Coordinates of all heavy atoms in Angstrom, one line a residue:
T1 N -25.6 7.2 51.7 CA -24.3 6.8 52.2 C -24.3 5.5 52.9 O -25.2 5.3 53.7 CB -23.8 7.9 53.2 OG1 -23.7 9.2 52.5 CG2 -22.4 7.6 53.7
V2 N -23.4 4.6 52.5 CA -23.4 3.3 53.1 C -22.8 3.4 54.5 O -21.8 4.0 54.7 CB -22.6 2.3 52.2 CG1 -22.5 0.9 52.8 CG2 -23.2 2.2 50.8
V12 N -30.7 -5.1 44.0 CA -31.5 -3.9 44.1 C -31.6 -3.1 42.8 O -30.7 -3.2 42.0 CB -31.0 -3.0 45.3 CG1 -31.0 -3.7 46.6 CG2 -29.6 -2.6 44.9
T13 N -32.7 -2.3 42.7 CA -32.9 -1.6 41.4 C -33.1 -0.2 41.7 O -33.8 0.3 42.6 CB -34.2 -2.2 40.7 OG1 -34.0 -3.6 40.4 CG2 -34.5 -1.4 39.4
V14 N -32.4 0.7 40.8 CA -32.7 2.1 40.8 C -33.7 2.3 39.7 O -33.5 2.0 38.5 CB -31.4 2.9 40.4 CG1 -31.7 4.4 40.3 CG2 -30.3 2.6 41.5
P15 N -34.9 2.8 40.1 CA -36.0 2.9 39.1 C -35.7 4.0 38.0 O -35.0 5.0 38.3 CB -37.2 3.3 39.9 CG -36.8 3.0 41.3 CD -35.4 3.2 41.4
G17 N -36.1 7.4 36.1 CA -36.6 8.7 36.6 C -35.9 9.1 37.9 O -36.0 10.2 38.3
K18 N -35.2 8.2 38.6 CA -34.6 8.5 39.8 C -33.1 8.9 39.6 O -32.4 8.3 38.8 CB -34.6 7.3 40.8 CG -36.1 6.9 41.3 CD -36.6 8.0 42.2 CE -37.9 7.6 42.7 NZ -38.5 8.6 43.7
K19 N -32.7 9.9 40.3 CA -31.3 10.3 40.3 C -30.7 10.1 41.7 O -31.1 10.7 42.7 CB -31.2 11.8 39.9 CG -29.7 12.2 39.7 CD -29.7 13.7 39.1 CE -28.2 14.1 38.9 NZ -28.2 15.5 38.3
I20 N -29.7 9.2 41.8 CA -29.1 8.8 43.1 C -27.6 8.9 43.0 O -27.0 8.5 42.1 CB -29.6 7.4 43.4 CG1 -31.1 7.4 43.7 CG2 -28.8 6.9 44.7 CD1 -31.6 6.0 43.9
T21 N -27.0 9.4 44.1 CA -25.6 9.3 44.3 C -25.4 8.4 45.5 O -25.9 8.6 46.6 CB -24.9 10.7 44.6 OG1 -25.1 11.5 43.5 CG2 -23.5 10.5 44.9
L22 N -24.6 7.3 45.3 CA -24.3 6.3 46.3 C -22.8 6.5 46.7 O -21.9 6.3 45.9 CB -24.5 4.9 45.8 CG -24.2 3.7 46.7 CD1 -25.1 3.7 47.9 CD2 -24.3 2.4 45.9
D23 N -22.6 6.9 48.0 CA -21.3 7.0 48.6 C -21.0 5.7 49.3 O -21.6 5.4 50.3 CB -21.2 8.2 49.5 CG -19.8 8.4 50.1 OD1 -18.9 7.5 49.9 OD2 -19.6 9.4 50.7
L24 N -20.1 4.9 48.8 CA -19.7 3.6 49.5 C -19.1 3.8 50.8 O -19.2 2.9 51.7 CB -18.8 2.8 48.5 CG -19.4 2.4 47.2 CD1 -18.4 1.7 46.4 CD2 -20.6 1.6 47.4
N25 N -18.4 4.9 51.1 CA -18.0 5.3 52.4 C -17.0 4.3 53.0 O -17.0 4.1 54.2 CB -19.2 5.5 53.3 CG -18.9 6.2 54.6 OD1 -17.9 7.0 54.6 ND2 -19.6 5.9 55.7
I29 N -20.4 -3.7 49.4 CA -21.7 -4.3 49.1 C -21.4 -5.6 48.3 O -20.8 -5.5 47.2 CB -22.6 -3.4 48.3 CG1 -22.9 -2.1 49.1 CG2 -23.9 -4.1 48.0 CD1 -23.6 -1.0 48.3
I42 N -26.7 -4.6 41.4 CA -27.5 -3.4 41.2 C -27.9 -3.3 39.8 O -27.1 -3.5 38.8 CB -26.7 -2.1 41.5 CG1 -26.3 -2.1 43.0 CG2 -27.4 -0.8 41.1 CD1 -25.4 -0.9 43.4
T43 N -29.2 -3.1 39.5 CA -29.7 -2.8 38.2 C -30.1 -1.3 38.2 O -31.0 -0.9 39.0 CB -31.0 -3.7 37.9 OG1 -30.6 -5.1 37.9 CG2 -31.5 -3.3 36.5
N44 N -29.5 -0.6 37.3 CA -29.7 0.9 37.2 C -30.6 1.2 36.0 O -30.1 1.0 34.9 CB -28.4 1.6 37.1 CG -28.7 3.1 36.9 OD1 -29.5 3.7 37.6 ND2 -28.0 3.7 36.0
N45 N -31.8 1.6 36.2 CA -32.7 2.1 35.2 C -32.8 3.6 35.2 O -33.5 4.2 34.3 CB -34.1 1.5 35.3 CG -34.1 0.0 35.2 OD1 -33.3 -0.6 34.4 ND2 -34.9 -0.7 36.0
G46 N -32.1 4.3 36.1 CA -32.2 5.7 36.3 C -30.9 6.4 36.0 O -30.2 6.1 35.0
N47 N -30.5 7.3 36.9 CA -29.3 8.0 36.8 C -28.5 7.8 38.1 O -28.9 8.4 39.2 CB -29.5 9.5 36.6 CG -28.3 10.3 36.3 OD1 -27.2 10.0 36.8 ND2 -28.4 11.3 35.4
L48 N -27.5 7.0 38.1 CA -26.8 6.5 39.3 C -25.3 7.0 39.2 O -24.6 6.7 38.2 CB -26.9 5.0 39.4 CG -26.1 4.4 40.6 CD1 -26.5 4.9 41.9 CD2 -26.1 2.9 40.5
T49 N -24.9 7.6 40.3 CA -23.5 8.0 40.4 C -22.9 7.2 41.7 O -23.5 7.3 42.7 CB -23.3 9.5 40.7 OG1 -23.8 10.2 39.5 CG2 -21.8 9.8 40.9
I50 N -21.8 6.6 41.5 CA -21.2 5.9 42.6 C -19.9 6.6 42.9 O -19.0 6.8 42.1 CB -20.9 4.4 42.2 CG1 -22.2 3.7 42.0 CG2 -20.1 3.7 43.3 CD1 -22.1 2.3 41.5
D51 N -19.8 7.1 44.2 CA -18.7 7.8 44.7 C -18.2 7.0 46.0 O -18.8 6.1 46.4 CB -19.1 9.2 45.1 CG -17.9 10.2 45.0 OD1 -16.7 9.7 45.0 OD2 -18.1 11.4 45.0
D52 N -17.0 7.4 46.5 CA -16.5 6.7 47.6 C -15.4 7.6 48.2 O -14.6 8.2 47.5 CB -15.9 5.4 47.2 CG -15.3 4.6 48.3 OD1 -16.0 4.5 49.4 OD2 -14.2 4.0 48.2
T53 N -15.4 7.7 49.5 CA -14.4 8.5 50.2 C -13.3 7.6 50.9 O -12.3 8.1 51.4 CB -15.1 9.3 51.3 OG1 -15.8 8.5 52.2 CG2 -16.0 10.3 50.6
K57 N -16.3 -0.9 48.0 CA -16.4 -1.8 46.9 C -17.9 -2.3 46.7 O -18.6 -2.3 47.6 CB -15.5 -3.1 47.1 CG -14.1 -2.9 47.2 CD -13.3 -4.2 47.4 CE -11.8 -4.0 47.5 NZ -11.1 -5.2 47.7
I58 N -18.2 -2.6 45.4 CA -19.4 -3.4 45.1 C -18.9 -4.7 44.4 O -18.2 -4.6 43.4 CB -20.3 -2.6 44.2 CG1 -20.7 -1.3 44.9 CG2 -21.6 -3.4 44.0 CD1 -21.6 -0.4 44.0
I75 N -23.1 -4.7 38.1 CA -24.0 -3.7 37.8 C -24.6 -3.9 36.4 O -23.8 -4.0 35.5 CB -23.5 -2.3 37.9 CG1 -22.9 -2.0 39.3 CG2 -24.5 -1.2 37.5 CD1 -22.3 -0.6 39.4
T76 N -25.9 -4.0 36.2 CA -26.5 -4.0 34.9 C -27.0 -2.6 34.7 O -27.9 -2.1 35.5 CB -27.7 -5.0 34.8 OG1 -27.1 -6.3 35.0 CG2 -28.3 -4.9 33.5
N77 N -26.5 -1.9 33.7 CA -26.9 -0.5 33.4 C -27.9 -0.4 32.3 O -27.5 -0.7 31.1 CB -25.7 0.4 33.2 CG -26.1 1.8 33.0 OD1 -26.7 2.4 33.9 ND2 -25.7 2.4 31.9
S78 N -29.0 0.1 32.6 CA -30.0 0.5 31.5 C -30.4 1.9 31.6 O -31.5 2.3 31.2 CB -31.3 -0.4 31.7 OG -30.9 -1.8 31.5
G79 N -29.5 2.7 32.1 CA -29.7 4.2 32.2 C -28.4 4.9 32.0 O -27.6 4.7 31.1
T80 N -28.1 5.8 33.0 CA -26.9 6.6 33.0 C -26.1 6.2 34.3 O -26.7 6.4 35.4 CB -27.2 8.1 32.9 OG1 -27.8 8.4 31.7 CG2 -25.9 8.9 33.0
L81 N -24.9 5.8 34.1 CA -24.1 5.3 35.3 C -22.8 6.1 35.2 O -22.1 6.1 34.2 CB -23.9 3.8 35.2 CG -22.9 3.2 36.2 CD1 -23.5 3.3 37.6 CD2 -22.6 1.8 35.9
T82 N -22.4 6.7 36.4 CA -21.1 7.4 36.5 C -20.4 6.8 37.7 O -20.9 6.7 38.8 CB -21.4 8.9 36.7 OG1 -22.2 9.4 35.6 CG2 -20.0 9.6 36.7
I83 N -19.1 6.4 37.4 CA -18.3 5.9 38.5 C -17.2 7.0 38.8 O -16.4 7.3 37.9 CB -17.6 4.6 38.1 CG1 -18.6 3.6 37.6 CG2 -16.8 4.1 39.3 CD1 -19.6 3.1 38.6
V84 N -17.3 7.6 40.0 CA -16.4 8.6 40.4 C -15.2 8.0 41.1 O -14.1 8.4 41.0 CB -17.1 9.7 41.2 CG1 -16.1 10.8 41.7 CG2 -18.2 10.4 40.4
A85 N -15.5 7.1 42.0 CA -14.5 6.4 42.8 C -15.1 5.1 43.4 O -16.3 4.8 43.2 CB -14.1 7.3 44.0
G86 N -14.2 4.3 44.0 CA -14.6 3.0 44.5 C -14.3 1.9 43.5 O -13.8 2.1 42.4
T87 N -14.5 0.6 43.9 CA -14.2 -0.5 43.1 C -15.4 -1.3 42.8 O -16.2 -1.6 43.7 CB -13.2 -1.5 43.9 OG1 -12.0 -0.8 44.1 CG2 -13.0 -2.8 43.1
I88 N -15.6 -1.5 41.5 CA -16.8 -2.3 41.0 C -16.1 -3.6 40.4 O -15.4 -3.6 39.5 CB -17.5 -1.6 39.8 CG1 -17.8 -0.1 40.2 CG2 -18.8 -2.3 39.5 CD1 -18.6 0.1 41.5
I102 N -19.6 -4.4 34.8 CA -20.7 -3.5 34.4 C -21.2 -4.0 33.0 O -20.4 -4.2 32.1 CB -20.2 -2.0 34.2 CG1 -19.7 -1.4 35.5 CG2 -21.3 -1.2 33.6 CD1 -19.1 -0.1 35.4
V112 N -25.6 5.0 29.0 CA -24.3 5.7 29.1 C -23.6 5.3 30.4 O -24.2 5.2 31.4 CB -24.5 7.2 29.1 CG1 -23.2 8.0 29.3 CG2 -25.2 7.7 27.9
V113 N -22.3 5.0 30.2 CA -21.4 4.7 31.3 C -20.3 5.7 31.2 O -19.6 5.8 30.2 CB -20.9 3.3 31.4 CG1 -19.7 3.2 32.4 CG2 -22.0 2.3 31.7
V114 N -20.0 6.4 32.3 CA -18.8 7.3 32.4 C -17.9 6.9 33.6 O -18.4 6.9 34.7 CB -19.3 8.8 32.6 CG1 -18.0 9.7 32.6 CG2 -20.2 9.2 31.4
I115 N -16.7 6.6 33.3 CA -15.7 6.2 34.3 C -14.8 7.4 34.5 O -14.0 7.7 33.7 CB -14.9 5.0 33.9 CG1 -15.8 3.8 33.4 CG2 -14.0 4.5 35.1 CD1 -16.8 3.3 34.5
K116 N -14.9 8.0 35.7 CA -14.1 9.2 36.0 C -12.9 8.8 36.9 O -11.9 9.5 37.0 CB -15.0 10.3 36.7 CG -16.0 10.9 35.8 CD -16.8 11.9 36.6 CE -17.8 12.7 35.7 NZ -17.1 13.5 34.7
G117 N -13.1 7.7 37.7 CA -12.1 7.2 38.6 C -12.5 5.9 39.1 O -13.4 5.3 38.7
G118 N -11.7 5.4 40.1 CA -12.0 4.1 40.7 C -11.5 3.0 39.9 O -10.6 3.2 39.0
V120 N -12.7 -0.8 37.8 CA -13.8 -1.7 37.3 C -13.1 -2.9 36.8 O -12.3 -2.8 35.8 CB -14.6 -1.0 36.2 CG1 -15.6 -1.9 35.6 CG2 -15.2 0.3 36.6
E147 N -12.6 8.4 31.4 CA -11.9 9.6 31.6 C -10.8 9.4 32.6 O -9.8 10.2 32.6 CB -12.8 10.7 32.1 CG -14.0 11.0 31.1 CD -14.9 12.0 31.7 OE1 -14.7 12.5 32.9 OE2 -15.9 12.4 31.0

Side-chain angles (χ1 to χ4, degrees):
T1 301
V2 179
V12 296
T13 299
V14 177
K18 293 291 185 179
K19 185 175 182 179
I20 294 174
T21 296
L22 178 65
D23 184 351
L24 297 176
N25 195 30
I29 300 172
I42 297 175
T43 298
N44 176 47
N45 298 322
N47 189 324
L48 174 62
T49 297
I50 296 175
D51 205 345
D52 181 45
T53 56
K57 298 179 180 181
I58 304 175
I75 300 176
T76 297
N77 183 54
S78 298
T80 298
L81 173 66
T82 303
I83 308 298
V84 177
T87 296
I88 314 301
I102 297 175
V112 175
V113 168
V114 180
I115 309 297
K116 294 180 176 290
V120 180
E147 300 176 357

